[in-house]
Amino acid sequence: MKYFDYAATTPLDTEAAEVYVKVATEYFGNSSSLHDIGGQSAALLENCREELANLMGIDKNGLFFTSGGTEGNFLAIEALLSSTKKEGKHIIAGMAEHSSIHGILTRLKEKGYEITLLPLNENGLIDHEQLVHTIKRETILLILQHVNSEIGTIQPIDKIAKICKDNEILFHSDFVQSFGKIDIKRLAPLVSSFTFSGHKIYGPKGIGGVYVDPQLKWEPFFPGSSHERGFRPGTLNVPAIAAMTVAAQKIIAKLPEDLNRYELLRKAFIKTLEPIEEKVKIYQAADTSRQLANIIGLRISGIQGQWMMLECNRHGFAISTGSACQVGRQSPAKVAQALGLTSDEAKEFIRISFGQSTRLEDVVELGERIVNIVHAFEAAAVI
């Protein structure tokens, strides 16, 4: 099986796996315990925190470890809502946010918050003028992902952060798809909070983190929590944190090389689809600097995405119909709604995503296979 679903998850890096086993067996103490064995675990934990903070260009005092992006989004948003000094209960969010964000927004709406969702324009980006016009005196929080997980478009975090600062609005951004794929050092300090996840960067599943601006004074969502300075309850998974740190070091060291390679793979894949180009619609930013090259979101007119995914699977290619946290639901992916697709168009959506093990010949073979599947489908329809 040839894997093209790296936006959903990545295989665990070999060195990261070795570090996990070593830490789990040799630094097994609870990092909150006061004895020497606990102290060794705590020292390793803080070394990882400092290293990750350096890789991200942030103050380590604002970095907290979580079980991943979903928990991180929840805790970050709750922390920001507890810290805001501005009166109001209006929240603006992107319509195409991850399902974990929409779950939080549903809960907040039930608690009396007013929620405004912003669509994406034809380039898969938020319209700045629409954002500014949406802001009210009561607007206290903006929630907007850095990179969309289904089409790979990159929001201009710096410009949006300035709009938030000018209007005294806190800004949370989901960096799960961007950390390790884009240099975030310049952008990370501009937001009030952001989240990241280990399994998107060849680290373990079940580990991630949150950055909250240390200048903000927040209240713990879970009262009485002693871990991570009250940010969350539960004994920290130090082996997974150490493994994630190694994975982060490796992927960031390879960042320039990966960016160039993914650009080449993207161009090669799109070129192989030329025989059916009249049927293919690729959702991407017109400006390549606003597009993550390793995620390709598209639809093929007249062919349901789930059928295409199953046909590719039957021929040995693992692709996706969208975010893994959305797959299996009857409703279309949020990005389809944000782009203004009809229900039938949304059902045609598929996602191809590349990773460090993706080979050029496999990309070309996948493209050719999709072309053959479309031609076979058309021939069957005529009969």
Side-chain angles (χ1 to χ4, degrees), residues 76-86 90-93 131 135 138-144 160-161 163-173 190-193 212-213 215-218:
I77 290 169
E78 290 292 341
L80 295 188
L81 291 177
S82 75
S83 72
T84 183
K85 295 292 189 297
K86 185 180 177 183
H90 180 228
I91 299 172
I92 302 172
L131 168 59
I135 294 172
E138 301 79 20
T139 306
I140 56 173
L141 176 63
L142 171 67
I143 303 169
L144 186 64
I160 295 168
I163 293 172
C164 290
K165 184 177 180 181
D166 291 345
N167 290 275
E168 297 182 296
I169 298 170
L170 297 176
F171 181 16
H172 171 71
S173 189
L190 302 179
V191 301
S192 307
S193 65
V212 179
D213 183 349
Q215 296 183 39
L216 299 175
K217 295 188 185 215
W218 47 268

Side-chain angles (χ1 to χ4, degrees), residues 93-361:
M95 193 180 289
E97 296 300 298
H98 187 264
S99 59
S100 63
I101 295 291
H102 285 281
I104 298 163
L105 294 175
T106 299
R107 175 179 171 277
L108 292 174
K109 190 172 182 179
E110 291 171 353
K111 291 183 66 177
Y113 284 88
E114 179 189 358
I115 311 295
T116 300
L117 298 179
L118 295 177
L120 300 177
N121 62 24
E122 66 277 7
N123 290 315
L125 302 172
I126 292 293
D127 185 297
H128 290 182
E129 289 186 11
Q130 186 177 12
L131 168 59
V132 172
H133 290 152
T134 305
I135 294 172
K136 305 178 181 182
R137 188 171 52 185
E138 301 79 20
T139 306
I140 56 173
L141 176 63
L142 171 67
I143 303 169
L144 186 64
Q145 63 193 179
H146 188 193
V147 171
N148 182 269
S149 62
E150 288 156 325
I151 61 174
T153 49
I154 305 168
Q155 299 293 341
I157 294 297
D158 48 355
K159 295 179 182 177
I160 295 168
K162 186 178 185 309
I163 293 172
C164 290
K165 184 177 180 181
D166 291 345
N167 290 275
E168 297 182 296
I169 298 170
L170 297 176
F171 181 16
H172 171 71
S173 189
D174 179 340
F175 278 19
V176 165
Q177 286 292 346
S178 57
F179 178 52
K181 289 70 172 281
I182 298 172
D183 185 355
I184 65 167
K185 267 192 167 186
R186 182 179 61 86
L187 302 175
L190 302 179
V191 301
S192 307
S193 65
F194 70 81
T195 47
F196 62 97
S197 183
H199 76 103
K200 304 291 188 180
I201 59 168
Y202 305 88
K205 294 176 176 63
I207 193 65
V210 167
Y211 167 76
V212 179
D213 183 349
Q215 296 183 39
L216 299 175
K217 295 188 185 215
W218 47 268
E219 296 293 327
F221 182 78
F222 297 101
S225 298
S226 59
H227 297 280
E228 290 297 83
R229 304 200 304 278
F231 191 74
R232 73 184 291 268
T235 302
L236 285 174
N237 189 346
V238 177
I241 292 168
M244 177 175 67
T245 303
V246 169
Q249 290 171 324
K250 292 185 69 175
I251 197 170
I252 289 174
K254 289 186 63 183
L255 193 53
E257 173 188 338
D258 284 343
L259 288 174
N260 290 333
R261 196 168 65 85
Y262 293 146
E263 286 284 356
L264 292 173
L265 294 178
R266 183 184 187 88
K267 289 176 182 176
F269 176 75
I270 293 173
K271 184 171 180 56
T272 62
L273 298 182
E274 286 181 354
I276 56 168
E277 61 183 349
E278 73 282 355
K279 287 184 164 291
V280 176
K281 170 63 178 176
I282 298 174
Y283 296 94
Q284 59 187 347
D287 181 353
T288 56
S289 69
R290 294 272 140 239
Q291 179 66 51
L292 198 66
N294 69 307
I295 296 179
I296 304 177
L298 68 143
R299 65 181 181 87
I300 300 172
S301 179
I303 299 181
Q304 288 204 3
Q306 188 170 9
W307 187 83
M308 177 60 74
M309 182 270 292
L310 291 172
E311 279 297 286
C312 285
N313 188 73
R314 185 167 69 87
H315 290 284
F317 298 93
I319 69 169
S320 170
T321 54
S323 169
C325 297
Q326 189 75 19
V327 171
R329 299 185 183 184
Q330 295 302 310
S331 57
K334 293 295 182 185
V335 73
Q337 183 183 358
L339 289 166
L341 275 62
T342 67
S343 177
D344 287 341
E345 289 172 340
K347 289 175 183 176
E348 294 168 350
F349 185 84
I350 59 173
R351 180 183 69 187
I352 313 295
S353 49
F354 310 137
Q356 291 184 346
S357 298
T358 306
R359 302 182 306 170
L360 176 61
E361 54 264 39

Side-chain angles (χ1 to χ4, degrees), residues 50-85:
E50 184 169 358
E51 175 60 17
L52 285 169
N54 288 336
L55 291 173
M56 298 175 184
I58 56 173
D59 183 340
K60 69 176 182 180
N61 292 310
L63 179 57
F64 305 97
F65 294 109
T66 66
S67 64
T70 293
E71 182 196 20
N73 283 331
F74 176 82
L75 291 177
I77 290 169
E78 290 292 341
L80 295 188
L81 291 177
S82 75
S83 72
T84 183
K85 295 292 189 297

Side-chain angles (χ1 to χ4, degrees), residues 275-276 278 303 369-381:
I276 56 168
E278 73 282 355
I303 299 181
R369 175 54 61 188
I370 289 175
V371 170
N372 291 339
I373 290 171
V374 171
H375 287 160
F377 180 86
E378 292 173 333

Side-chain angles (χ1 to χ4, degrees), residues 15 17 25 33 67 248 299 362:
E15 287 183 43
T25 53
S33 296
S67 64
R299 65 181 181 87
D362 293 336

